[in-house]
Amino acid sequence: MKISSVKLVYFSPTGTTKKVLEGIAGGIGIEDIDHMDMTRQDARSKPLDHLTDALVVIGAPVYAGRLPGDVVKRFKHFKAQNTPAVVVVVYGNREYEDALLELSDLSRDLGFVPVSGGAFIGEHSYATADLPIANGRPDEKDLEKAAAFGAGVIKKMTGIKKGEDITPLKVPGNFPYKQAMPSVSGSPITLADLCTTCGTCAEVCPKAAITVNDTVETDPDLCIKCCACVKECPTAARIMDIPRFKDVAKWLNENCSHRKEPEVFI
Ligand SMILES: Cc1cc2nc3c(=O)[nH]c(=O)nc-3n(C[C@H](O)[C@H](O)[C@H](O)COP(=O)(O)O)c2cc1C
């Protein structure tokens, strides 16, 4: 099959999924790359049925072994017409459980034909310098693997004559999927003495849950605990202070420090 353009479609609050997708695109080696960043609250999904000769790479982080609820909501208006897709999940070195299967199934429901899949590792959203969990990932080695994966995918695509010849993608995971994480009210807090009210937290929040005037206000029911505001704050004024999440970070640091490697299904 002829592929002349690549579209990267992703939800990536702390940027690791985006980085992995860019690494994969590098390996695919086609110059015409278009980004459809679905991270912001005002991002709109569009029908993608006009795409010809395109390969779509769809990426999402893993939240509690599943796709974040917002991925399902934001991606649901994509309407593809048998466009080949590469499905990719990025997780924080614990497990990806049913997330890759869920993304593969979702892509099929939207009209894509999933051709290949991958599970990569990204720095955990709850990692800090004191409690590292996959800090700095995806690193150089991960991005080399992402590029090699991209090269493998394009080789596979050029070997396929027509869409019907694509063998159905099989990825790990169980259906029914594991139960989704119940939503918990709460959010990171702002340390007033460090905060300059620069507004970065509000800009990067994928839920538009933060308002900055003289102080920073966060809607605890809208917050999805993605930690984009914590990671992006230029003065380290945002911290995740919810006891339950601090305990999770401690547990992950103690139990999920052994380096996992990306898995790909070409
Ligand atoms: C609410 C929430 C739940 C998460 N659940 C998992 C999980 O089940 N397994 C895991 O390994 N990482 C988990 N993570 C970590 C993210 O999957 C990981 O940090 C990912 O790289 C974030 O992607 P992004 O940088 O594109 O936002 C979770 C993160 C958040 C915020």
Side-chain angles (χ1 to χ4, degrees), residues 11-18 60-66 90-97 121-126 137 178 181 224-227 245 252:
F11 176 80
S12 184
T14 62
T16 61
T17 305
K18 179 181 179 199
V62 176
Y63 282 8
R66 297 281 306 274
V90 179
Y91 69 104
N93 207 53
R94 188 186 68 80
E95 297 287 347
Y96 61 94
E97 293 166 290
I121 295 87
E123 174 170 317
H124 202 290
S125 319
Y126 301 143
R137 297 186 73 184
K178 71 173 285 197
M181 186 177 61
I224 55 168
K225 289 84 186 164
C226 69
C227 290
F245 286 86
L252 289 165

Side-chain angles (χ1 to χ4, degrees), residues 54-162:
L55 177 64
V56 176
V57 187
I58 310 175
V62 176
Y63 282 8
R66 297 281 306 274
L67 294 179
D70 281 281
V71 164
V72 181
K73 278 189 223 140
R74 290 182 196 191
F75 287 14
K76 77 174 179 211
H77 299 295
F78 291 133
K79 285 221 171 356
Q81 225 157 28
N82 296 326
T83 305
V86 179
V87 287
V88 178
V89 293
V90 179
Y91 69 104
N93 207 53
R94 188 186 68 80
E95 297 287 347
Y96 61 94
E97 293 166 290
D98 300 332
L100 185 58
L101 177 65
E102 192 180 3
L103 188 58
S104 172
D105 292 346
L106 176 67
S107 75
R108 220 174 257 128
D109 292 346
L110 300 174
F112 293 99
V113 181
V115 287
S116 301
F120 286 76
I121 295 87
E123 174 170 317
H124 202 290
S125 319
Y126 301 143
T128 59
D130 295 340
L131 291 175
I133 315 151
N135 283 23
R137 297 186 73 184
D139 57 17
E140 214 176 306
K141 213 171 141 206
D142 292 314
L143 294 175
E144 273 169 23
K145 287 190 181 168
F149 175 50
V153 170
I154 198 70
K155 190 168 171 215
K156 172 176 175 173
M157 294 307 301
T158 32
I160 293 171
K161 288 208 174 59
K162 45 186 185 343

